[in-house]
Amino acid sequence: DAGVIQSPRHEVTEMGQEVTLRCKPISGHDYLFWYRQTMMRGLELLIYFNNNVPIDDSGMPEDRFSAKMPNASFSTLKIQPSEPRDSAVYFCASRKGTSGKVGELFFGEGSRLTVL
Amino acid sequence: RKEVEQDPGPFNVPEGATVAFNCTYSNSASQSFFWYRQDCRKEPKLLMSVYSSGNEDGRFTAQLNRASQYISLLIRDSKLSDSATYLCVVRANDYKLSFGAGTTVTVRA
């Protein structure tokens, strides 16, 4: 079975440019999470969705960040305009809410973003 | 104060040694606890859940102390393949997981 699929795997962009990260969760999973990981701050939850509806976006750093989930198989995280401090690895993760191990999130391989 | 705090290490141990490390959490209402493993430049993956009575999974033993709000992980008979960063994870009352910054373990031949 395919796992969580993220794209792009690597992105290098210049300050001020728009960045769009994409995620396809595992089929049948009704929870989707966006995390950001840096050396300084570790893994931080940005936002999560349940059945395509944003439930908690309190981790989104500021208005430059936005996330959408138009359907059960696709989500985007957008940064506009990007800044050097946004450089990080962005992980998407999914899980099925009512079965399996409650704490088991399935992560994608991450999108490594570098903003120059 | 961070929700989950860990000693970043690194813990450098020889093959066959035992290594143990803890993490502390701040929310006394936390309900579930886990250890995740993250290899260098890879995604985190669930290693094991942590139960109140303590539990083992092969060479790995996890303990929970709710009174002191800490969780521990012990690795016996370390293997080279155990080299990784171990993330302590806590769940409160919803589906949101809080991750510690991780403890790095390096097992040397």
Side-chain angles (χ1 to χ4, degrees), chain B residues 15 37 39 59-60 78-84 86 105 107:
Chain B
E15 267 189 299
R37 171 193 170 126
D39 293 320
R59 298 179 293 104
F60 296 82
S78 299
K79 310 292 185 191
L80 294 176
S81 58
D82 295 333
S83 297
Y86 292 86
V105 173
V107 181

Side-chain angles (χ1 to χ4, degrees), chain B residues 29-76:
Chain B
S30 298
Q31 297 184 353
S32 307
F33 310 89
F34 312 89
W35 284 102
Y36 272 66
R37 171 193 170 126
Q38 186 173 23
D39 293 320
C40 186
R41 301 181 77 85
K42 297 288 189 180
E43 72 274 23
K45 293 182 179 178
L46 179 66
L47 176 66
M48 62 191 298
S49 302
V50 184
Y51 302 120
S52 297
S53 56
N55 51 293
E56 286 188 8
D57 184 356
R59 298 179 293 104
F60 296 82
T61 300
Q63 297 279 356
L64 169 63
N65 185 318
R66 283 189 183 271
S68 300
Q69 294 182 204
Y70 78 81
I71 307 149
S72 65
L73 182 66
L74 181 146
I75 307 173
R76 290 188 307 277

Side-chain angles (χ1 to χ4, degrees), chain A residues 13-20 36 61-66 77-87 90 113 115-116:
Chain A
T13 190
E14 292 187 347
M15 183 173 63
Q17 296 298 307
E18 178 179 294
V19 173
T20 299
R36 176 173 70 175
E62 49 199 271
D63 291 345
R64 297 184 297 107
F65 285 69
S66 62
L77 177 67
K78 187 174 292 187
I79 309 172
Q80 166 63 18
S82 59
E83 297 182 2
R85 60 192 169 122
D86 301 331
S87 298
Y90 291 82
L113 174 65
V115 183
L116 303 174

Side-chain angles (χ1 to χ4, degrees), chain A residues 14 21 39 42 59 67 95 114:
Chain A
E14 292 187 347
L21 307 178
M39 289 291 291
R95 62 153 285 130
T114 302

Side-chain angles (χ1 to χ4, degrees), chain A residues 25-102:
Chain A
I26 293 173
S27 177
H29 283 193
D30 52 353
Y31 282 82
L32 182 141
F33 303 78
W34 281 101
Y35 282 87
R36 176 173 70 175
Q37 188 173 39
T38 61
M39 289 291 291
M40 291 296 294
R41 302 174 68 90
L43 205 57
E44 303 173 280
L45 177 65
L46 300 177
I47 184 171
Y48 78 94
F49 296 82
N50 177 219
N51 291 322
N52 314 337
V53 176
I55 302 300
D56 184 349
D57 65 353
S58 59
M60 296 287 262
E62 49 199 271
D63 291 345
R64 297 184 297 107
F65 285 69
S66 62
K68 294 181 180 180
M69 192 166 185
N71 57 62
S73 59
F74 184 65
S75 177
T76 60
L77 177 67
K78 187 174 292 187
I79 309 172
Q80 166 63 18
S82 59
E83 297 182 2
R85 60 192 169 122
D86 301 331
S87 298
V89 181
Y90 291 82
F91 286 104
C92 176
S94 70
R95 62 153 285 130
K96 189 167 178 60
T98 58
S99 67
K101 300 176 184 178
V102 175

